[in-house]
Amino acid sequence: MFARGCHVGVGRLCLTLPVAAIVAMVSGAAAQDAKDPRSVALAAYDRIATVLQSPRCINCHPRGDRPTQADDRHVHGMNVQRGADNTGVAAMRCSTCHQAHNNDLAGVPGAPHWHLAPRSMGWAGLSKGEQCRVLLDPRNNGGRGVPELVAHMTGDALVLWAWSPGRGRMPPPLSIEEMKIALEQWAAAGAPCPE
Amino acid sequence: MAKFTFTLNGAPATVDIDPSTPLLWVLRDHLGLTGTKFGCGAAQCGACTVHVDGEAVRSCVYTIDSVEGAAVTTIEGLSKDGLHRLQKAWIEHQVPQCGYCQPGFIMAAAALIAQQPKPSDADIEASITNICRCGTYARIKQAIRSAVMP
């Protein structure tokens, strides 16, 4: 057995380092990050991206005309289409099945103003950096600046549904409180995007 | 239990019922309108399609608490005499085989042509996603096309 805290694994190798050296490395890196707002913001965006790329967000941010559904992100059943106003087509609107609240008996999720994000905010398949740049571009996001984006991501009823997704659906990997903190850190440093 | 009041086929209706009850069962079991059918119970097949404020709704998953104050139309209320232009087209083209799913198809088609008076074949295919085990899709399309012809 290895002594706790003394070993760094590299593949099948295990390198023995003094505990003091590891503590110095970690605390040194943390101290450097703390002084560099951009590093803090980029680290925060890494956490934000795990939410934005979770099924709860990305299922309704397709780049094409077909949304996906469920945690495995399969193509939405019933031939659901985007439609001209992002709420489906005549006789097959989002509201044909989705109400303003979850229906856990039937398994149909619901929240106020259920709809797809506009095509300009399609994120499926984008890298973190690409998604960040799309998100920030006012030509794509409805003319929102960073404060409005943060307000949307922390206050919109449909966005907040992600944290109460109903039976059989996983919430995003961060709690809403963790998401708010990450967004504040990201915004405070000018909302930088990863490469 | 809670009271819900809405308009049903033009007349006022009130039910005192669990808010999570699907509209389908309110219509069929509590209000005696059995034209709307139960198919899958999961919003997949569309046999239960009715209109809520003019929009097609799959009533098997649409709970009664979302209907408060709304106008609900079922196949019984689509026309006074059962001769809505779609119903006439359905007869003309002898669309149904077993007929079970047809009220849902007609209600979906009625919502479509109310919003798109001249739907293309692509519009029909995108909008009418109901399921017919008898496979009457070709005749359904013909009937919708003829119903919107001048």
Side-chain angles (χ1 to χ4, degrees), chain B residues 6-23:
Chain B
F6 53 98
T7 301
L8 177 59
N9 295 333
T14 299
V15 290
D16 189 358
I17 201 164
D18 186 306
S20 66
T21 307
L23 174 59

Side-chain angles (χ1 to χ4, degrees), chain B residues 32 48 70 75 81 96 111 116 131:
Chain B
C48 64
I75 188 71
D81 53 6
Q116 283 184 270
I131 295 172

